[in-house]
């Protein structure tokens, strides 16, 4: 395949130019097969630290490690080819000082091949954002409801319901924007605040529980496809994967217990020349 025919991944510039023009489509992925399925439809694929809760069964994202994010980031990069891939920096990997943040971000990018990293962006993080951007690390910010702050907040609470909170979230957004982030996740805020933030910052905003007023949207894919029996208020279910898996497993279990699986179609037999072959029924079904 020639270089001209190769698929080009979307870049920071592509995402930045979408602000106010074309809504940005973003979903989470944590493995290669899922990334491959969503790659043709997404502008951004986020390897979120939500992997700790969604895949590993943790109660929050606080216990997610660098190694975990790198492992899943590598898998998503293998499964995708055109969407820009952004990997979350886990709790404790960027808050200490800008140099630590840069070194950890550089490690994630070098070991996964991703195009950018994301950090949860209180005002304290603006210095780290600027430090990383100046040194070649594209940074996506995350303001509003910040899951890594669950222990301080006493749970996953929507933000911006009081004047003090609104001012704090707006200050976080402006600080991250001025520090040079190329995009910003806005999570769990009222529509009017999301609209205000989107107008106030120069980078695209990507909402999750923040209304259609943002420049794009992101959801945790497992919520969107109906993998769990409960989903947050802001999630629209586009599938019933949990139900489909349950039905498939139930049918398999029934066939095994009833000795209906494996049947002749799934069974190998010995041919006259001593070589193993699949049953004739299976070969005929394949057109052999």
């Amino acid at each position: 395949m020639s270089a001209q025919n190769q698929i080009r991944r979307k870049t920071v510039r592509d995402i930045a130019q979408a602000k106010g023009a074309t809504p940005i489509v973003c979903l989470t992925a944590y493995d290669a097969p899922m990334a491959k399925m969503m790659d043709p439809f997404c502008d951004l694929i986020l390897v979120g630290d939500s992997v700790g809760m969604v895949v590993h069964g943790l109660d929050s994202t606080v216990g997610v490690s660098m190694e975990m994010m790198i492992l899943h980031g590598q898998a998503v990069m293998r499964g995708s080819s055109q969407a820009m891939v952004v990997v979350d920096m886990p709790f404790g990997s960027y808050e200490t000082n800008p140099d630590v943040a840069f070194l950890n971000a550089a490690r994630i990018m070098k070991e996964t091949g991703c195009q950018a990293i994301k950090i949860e962006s209180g005002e304290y993080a603006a210095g780290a954002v600027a430090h990383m951007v100046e040194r070649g690390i594209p940074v996506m910010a995350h303001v509003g409801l910040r899951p890594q702050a669950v222990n301080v907040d006493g749970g996953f609470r929507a933000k911006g319901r009081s004047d003090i909170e609104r001012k704090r979230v707006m200050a976080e957004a402006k600080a991250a924007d001025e520090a040079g982030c190329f995009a910003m996740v806005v999570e769990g805020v009222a529509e009017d605040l999301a609209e205000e933030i989107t107008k106030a910052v120069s980078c695209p905003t990507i909402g999750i529980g923040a209304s259609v007023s943002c420049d794009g949207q992101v959801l945790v894919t497992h919520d969107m496809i109906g993998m769990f029996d409960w989903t947050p208020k802001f999630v629209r279910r586009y599938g019933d994967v949990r139900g489909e898996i349950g039905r498939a497993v139930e049918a398999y279990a029934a066939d095994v217990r009833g000795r209906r699986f494996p049947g002749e179609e799934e069974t190998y037999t010995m041919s006259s020349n001593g070589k193993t072959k699949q049953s004739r029924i299976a070969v005929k079904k394949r057109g052999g």
Side-chain angles (χ1 to χ4, degrees):
M1 181 182 289
S2 68
Q4 287 130 339
N5 292 330
Q6 288 179 355
I7 297 173
R8 180 183 71 85
R9 280 192 188 273
K10 286 185 167 59
T11 66
V12 167
R13 182 179 176 84
D14 295 325
I15 302 304
Q17 289 178 338
K19 183 174 178 67
T22 305
I24 299 164
V25 179
C26 181
L27 284 169
T28 62
Y30 317 112
D31 57 55
M34 189 69 79
K36 187 172 184 178
M37 284 188 283
M38 64 179 59
D39 188 58
F41 309 103
C42 289
D43 303 302
L44 286 169
I45 295 178
L46 174 63
V47 187
D49 60 357
S50 51
V51 67
M53 301 175 71
V54 172
V55 175
H56 294 276
L58 300 178
D59 292 331
S60 75
T61 62
V62 173
V64 173
S65 66
M66 283 282 291
E67 288 71 25
M68 195 183 294
M69 296 310 305
I70 289 169
L71 179 68
H72 290 283
Q74 290 169 337
V76 169
M77 284 297 295
R78 293 187 199 107
S80 61
S81 60
Q82 71 90 23
M84 183 175 180
V85 175
V86 181
V87 177
D88 258 342
M89 293 189 71
F91 178 69
S93 67
Y94 58 89
E95 298 91 340
T96 306
N97 63 60
D99 286 331
V100 169
F102 170 78
L103 290 173
N104 284 328
R107 180 188 171 196
I108 290 173
M109 293 191 71
K110 286 194 290 186
E111 294 188 26
T112 66
C114 71
Q115 287 72 59
I117 57 89
K118 180 173 79 65
I119 68 172
E120 295 190 8
S121 312
E123 284 189 82
Y124 67 87
V129 172
H131 191 74
M132 288 189 282
V133 171
E134 288 170 0
R135 289 156 179 78
I137 305 284
V139 178
M140 176 184 283
H142 184 144
V143 302
L145 191 163
R146 293 189 284 118
Q148 291 178 8
V150 62
N151 290 317
V152 172
D153 292 339
F156 299 103
R157 296 174 49 253
K159 295 292 183 180
R161 292 181 173 178
S162 68
D163 288 340
I164 293 175
E165 275 193 351
R166 289 178 69 92
K167 289 177 181 177
R168 183 182 302 126
V169 174
M170 180 59 73
E172 292 172 353
K174 288 182 176 179
D177 184 47
E178 291 168 4
C181 65
F182 75 91
M184 180 181 304
V185 170
V186 181
E187 179 170 2
V189 303
E191 181 175 11
D192 59 337
L193 179 55
E195 183 176 2
E196 188 178 345
I197 291 171
T198 300
K199 290 178 178 177
V201 300
S202 62
C203 66
T205 57
I206 300 174
I208 177 167
S211 84
V212 75
S213 296
C214 296
D215 295 302
Q217 298 294 325
V218 60
L219 284 176
V220 173
T221 300
H222 289 61
D223 288 337
M224 183 270 291
I225 63 176
M227 183 66 84
F228 304 117
D229 57 3
W230 175 87
T231 52
K233 169 185 170 61
F234 56 79
V235 173
R236 180 181 296 176
R237 289 196 184 203
Y238 287 85
D240 179 29
V241 171
R242 179 186 177 91
E244 285 298 312
I245 291 175
R247 285 185 284 273
V249 173
E250 181 182 20
Y252 165 74
D255 282 351
V256 170
R257 293 186 177 118
R259 295 193 178 279
R260 294 183 295 274
F261 177 84
E264 187 176 359
E265 295 179 2
E266 298 92 11
T267 302
Y268 294 95
T269 60
M270 193 69 74
S271 66
S272 57
N273 62 7
K275 293 183 178 179
T276 303
K277 66 178 183 180
Q278 205 167 359
S279 83
R280 291 177 182 174
I281 293 176
V283 172
K284 285 181 180 178
K285 284 197 169 184
R286 291 200 307 267

